[in-house]
Amino acid sequence: MSKKKQVKKVEVVNVEEIERQVVEPVIEIEKVVVQPYNQAVDVLQKAFVFFNEKLCNNELDKVPVITIQSKGRRSAYGWFWDCTWKNGADDQLRPEINIAAEYLSRSASNIMETLIHELAHMINAKRGAKDCNAAQYHNKKFKSTAEELGLTCEKMGAYGYAKTGLGERAKAIVDQFIENNNCAVFDSFNRVDRKRQWRKVWTIPCEEDAKNEVKRIALEQN
């Protein structure tokens, strides 16, 4: 008996349909990525480069990681933290400059003043000048560098010379930056400052935390 040849059905591939399915999700992702947070960080990064050139004579050779995080229990508009980020590729430690999320909706001018305040700390860290202690007392070394960048400094009780403002030189540079960059994101975008209920905060524990929790439970049961 002769075997009948099985004819395979050939499906017609619609190339245009496949391309549409591939491209559409990419477009959707792009829409998600363009959000106020990213826009705010982008403006702050551009401001750092601009102020480093115009106010610091490009003294700062490391670009900090600029973040927007919750102030937590701090009463601060922002902070500088030296050598806190590491790039595995070049093994170089980079500092962090943070703008407190709860105060992000201040005027663009005030946000930029906070950034310049942190630049003064960053310059002193590079120079090896200790300008602030653990209690956040800003000493005369901070005052000197801040004024060098065009800020004004006033005593602020136990925080020393922590109260800064824009002097004429710094204000002119800040106004120039704001005029040439879209800083509208700072008009209304910020994190709501309210007490969080722990039951409404979902976290992903790291492996080490999980091990410690198992040990703690085991000890309580013994």
Side-chain angles (χ1 to χ4, degrees):
M1 293 178 66
S2 60
K3 295 183 179 179
K4 292 183 180 180
K5 292 183 179 180
Q6 293 182 350
V7 179
K8 293 183 179 179
K9 292 182 179 180
V10 179
E11 296 182 1
V12 178
V13 177
N14 189 330
V15 177
E16 291 183 358
E17 177 63 20
I18 292 175
E19 288 180 346
R20 184 188 64 79
Q21 292 175 2
V22 171
V23 171
E24 278 188 354
V26 173
I27 294 173
E28 290 176 3
I29 290 171
E30 288 177 352
K31 289 179 181 177
V32 172
V33 170
V34 179
Q35 56 173 301
Y37 180 91
N38 294 344
Q39 292 172 342
V41 171
D42 182 58
V43 171
L44 291 169
Q45 289 174 332
K46 290 177 180 176
F48 169 83
V49 174
F50 187 76
F51 297 151
N52 186 32
E53 177 186 351
K54 301 294 183 180
L55 297 173
C56 311
N57 297 317
N58 287 317
E59 181 174 350
L60 298 170
D61 52 355
K62 288 184 180 180
V63 178
V65 175
I66 297 180
T67 61
I68 299 173
Q69 302 177 41
S70 172
K71 66 181 179 61
R73 295 180 180 179
R74 303 178 184 90
S75 296
Y77 289 136
W79 63 77
F80 166 76
W81 199 358
D82 196 20
C83 298
T84 55
W85 290 79
K86 180 178 179 294
N87 186 344
D90 55 20
D91 201 34
Q92 186 181 44
L93 293 174
R94 293 169 62 190
E96 171 184 294
I97 288 180
N98 180 71
I99 301 298
E102 290 83 357
Y103 302 126
L104 200 63
S105 64
R106 294 180 296 148
S107 69
S109 181
N110 286 335
I111 296 289
M112 297 308 154
E113 183 272 317
T114 298
L115 180 59
I116 296 171
H117 178 118
E118 303 310 333
L119 289 187
H121 284 302
M122 188 172 174
I123 286 176
N124 282 332
K126 184 186 177 185
R127 294 174 178 175
K130 188 174 181 180
D131 64 2
C132 190
N133 62 18
Q136 301 305 308
Y137 182 88
H138 292 55
N139 61 31
K140 288 186 178 180
K141 290 181 180 178
F142 170 80
K143 181 178 183 290
S144 175
T145 304
E147 290 177 342
E148 182 184 323
L149 300 186
L151 296 180
T152 60
C153 285
E154 296 179 40
K155 275 284 188 75
M156 191 179 173
Y159 296 103
Y161 295 98
K163 186 177 181 180
T164 54
L166 293 174
E168 289 184 9
R169 175 169 169 257
K171 186 179 185 306
I173 297 299
V174 166
D175 288 346
Q176 185 182 348
F177 177 81
I178 293 174
E179 184 180 350
N180 292 286
N181 291 273
N182 183 8
C183 298
V185 66
F186 300 119
D187 293 339
S188 58
F189 180 62
N190 69 293
R191 182 174 183 178
V192 178
D193 185 11
R194 63 182 180 187
K195 191 174 181 180
R196 285 185 287 174
Q197 297 179 18
W198 70 270
R199 285 190 175 89
K200 293 186 179 180
V201 179
W202 286 264
T203 63
I204 301 176
C206 65
E207 183 180 356
E208 202 61 36
D209 286 343
K211 288 179 181 178
N212 292 335
E213 182 63 13
V214 170
K215 289 178 181 177
R216 184 187 67 79
I217 295 171
L219 289 171
E220 287 181 353
Q221 291 177 345
N222 290 336

